[in-house]
Structure formats: C-alpha cells, structure tokens
Amino acid sequence: MIAGAHAAAPGRAQAGSTADAARVHTARVDRVGVLIAGTIAAALAFAPFVTFRANRIVAGHDLALAEIFPHWQAVTLYAAGAASVLFALLRSRPAPRFAAGAVLLLGLGALVGHVPAHLVTDDNPLARVSPATGAWLLFFAYAALVVDASARLALGPVRRLAALAAACAVLAALLHAGWWDGLSVMQEYAARADTFWQEASRHTALVSGSVAAAITAGVPLGVACARSAKLRGVLLPALNIVQTIPSIAMYGLLMVPLGLLAAHVPLAAALGIRGIGAAPAALALFLYSLLPIASSVVVGLRQIPPHAVEAAAAMGMTRAQRLLQIELPLALPVILSGVRIVLVQNIGLAAVAALIGGGGFGTFIFQGIGQSATDLVLLGAIPTIALALAAAVVFDAATALAKGRRA
C-alpha cells in the first residue's frame, strides 16, 4: 500500500501541474477577445474585402486583399491582420488595448480609402468600389475592441466626450481631405451633396422637435403619475399600447385624421399640417416618446429617499418648491436615461418617416432600395447610425455628470 501511494503521488503531481498550466493558459486568453479574434480571422480568411463594379448599375464581383494589392503588400496586410488576431486574443491592459483598437480602426479606414486607387483607372472612370463583408466585419471587430477597452478603463464622462470629439475631428479631417472620395458611397454623396444636407437638417429638426415636445408633455405627466396611483394605472398602460404599434402602421393611422383636419381647418393647412409630410411623422414620434419619458420620471421620483423630501418639508418648502428644487434634480439621472432612450429611438424611427414624405436620411435609404443601389442606402444608413451613437454617448455622459453632481 505504501508503495502504491508513492507510485500514485507522481501521477497526482503531474495532474496538478497540468491543471495549473491550463489555468495559466486560460488566464492569458481574453474572453471577449476570443469573439473579436474569431471575427477578424473569419473576415481575413473567408470574406471579400471590397466589391468592384464596372459602373453603378451592373452587378459587381467581390475581391479579397490578395486580388487588390501586389503580393508583398497583401502579405504584409495579412500579417498585420494576424498580429491583430493574436493581440485581441491575449489579455492585455485596457489602455494599450484601447490605443491599438483606435490605431487599427484608423488604419483600416485609410486602407479602404486607398483601394480605389488600385482598381479604378483612366480606362474605367465609371467604376465603383464599395466595402464588402470583410471590411465591415473588420470595422465591427476593431470597434468592439475599442468599446471593450473603454468599458474596462471606466472613462469618466468628460473623457468620453473628449474621445467622441477626437473621433469626430479625425473623421471630419479624413472626409475634408477627400481620402474616401473614390468610394461609391462618397460618389453618391457628391451627386447629392445639397440634398443630403437638406435632408440632414430635416432629420435633425424632426427628432429634436419631437423629443422637445415629449419632454414638455412627458415630465408633467410623469409627475402626475408618480403622485396618483389611479392615473398611473390608466395612463402608462395606454402609452404602452402606443409602443406596440409598428412605426409604418402608426404613420398610416395618422394620415387620415390629419388629412381631414387640413381639409376642414384652413389654419391647420396654413401651418403645414397635412396627411403626409412632417406633421404625421412628428406626431408619431411624439407619441412614441411619451412612455419612456413619463415612466423615467415616475421611476426617478419614486426612488428618492423619503427623508430628503421630509427634510425639505420640515424646512417650510412648498410642494412646488420641493418638486423643482429637490425631487426633479434628484431624479435627473433617471430622467436623462429616459431621454437618451427616446432620442436614439427617434433617430431610427425618423428614417421610416421618409415613406410618408417626412424627409430625413430615410429618403436615401428608400431611394436606394427602389433603385437596388446599396451605396445609396448606405448614404442614409451610415449617418443615421453615427448620429444615434453620438447621441447615446453624449447623454450617457450627461447622466454620469448628473449622478456625480447629485452625489
């Protein structure tokens, strides 16, 4: 038995060392990085990098990096991609990870802008070059690397705003320098530059106007619901029903009553209220915005510590003074979170308003769908996504600042 125990001891030691090595190996692998690295590897190995078309109308064919650049350049790019796979896979500190992700994003953007110079020649000036699946997957992976690193860094609100401003400045500089002018989506923009900015202003006005109106109406409704359980039990479920109506159906439902109103009330028609156009779009966005804002006010007011309100009452403050000076400021972070949800939601829903003549970036999206022009769709979709992301970052920072001020 003693001999058996001595014989089993080396086996247990070997098993323990193997388990320790496995734990060390696992500790060196970043869990989020596994997904990022897999996405990068799939994009480089299996997905085309760009799509090349002889003109705007004909179908194009996909090209990988090795089919675009000379051999030594393609090998260098694949090696850089493999290095980024390894870097994403292994655990590292957040700051170098953030910097590497930002550099990779910038390098990828520069590479995509450089591709048309290799494919479009004087013999085929009408040729079109668009990013394909591989390029979009790489953009997603490197952006995920940046977002994951920034979350681990736990950047404060001011630094987040500074990072957003820096990213916007770099993007504006590249656009102003014409680095991406050879891409098909920028050629679509060049043909519609004046219209683009008109639709951008309409989109912004539609979103900002509907959100401002919803805040004006939603905050008092939320205060009333917080103070009256009976009203809360009736109003919030009714607003919740509005949220279940699809946006296209909502626009259609509003066209008939607004059209009748314009036909029978000359003042309404003079103010621009019609069955189609901005009026039904703005009204639909306003109705969609009421529930998130009102419910955020209710939640914010109900989570205020009772002793804070009691202390204000003991100081002789009136009910209105307590609401304006104590309760609403304490509930502000929750209210701002509701406004952020509404703003991001309306930026997306405003694109659908183009179907009823509401204008906005959706105009290019639906024109592109009708013409089977993917790059025209991107001309409307990319600014919509960028605007929503910027709004989310700004209001997240505002919420964090409000929480810090309250603390």
Side-chain angles (χ1 to χ4, degrees), residues 295-340:
S295 60
S296 67
V297 173
V298 172
V299 173
L301 292 177
R302 288 171 64 85
Q303 74 174 13
I304 296 174
H307 63 80
V309 181
E310 293 171 1
M315 294 172 60
M317 298 179 69
T318 64
R319 195 172 187 180
Q321 288 174 332
R322 292 198 301 269
L323 176 65
L324 296 176
Q325 300 179 26
I326 303 297
E327 297 177 23
L328 286 179
L330 290 176
L332 185 60
V334 180
I335 297 173
L336 287 176
S337 298
V339 174
R340 180 186 65 83

Side-chain angles (χ1 to χ4, degrees), residues 255-276 278-280 283:
M255 289 174 66
V256 175
L258 290 178
L260 293 174
L261 180 64
H264 293 87
V265 181
L267 179 60
L271 292 175
I273 299 176
R274 297 180 179 85
I276 60 173
L283 182 56

Side-chain angles (χ1 to χ4, degrees), residues 65-67 69-83:
L65 285 173
E67 300 173 284
F69 298 99
H71 177 72
W72 68 271
Q73 292 183 2
V75 170
T76 302
L77 292 173
Y78 280 118

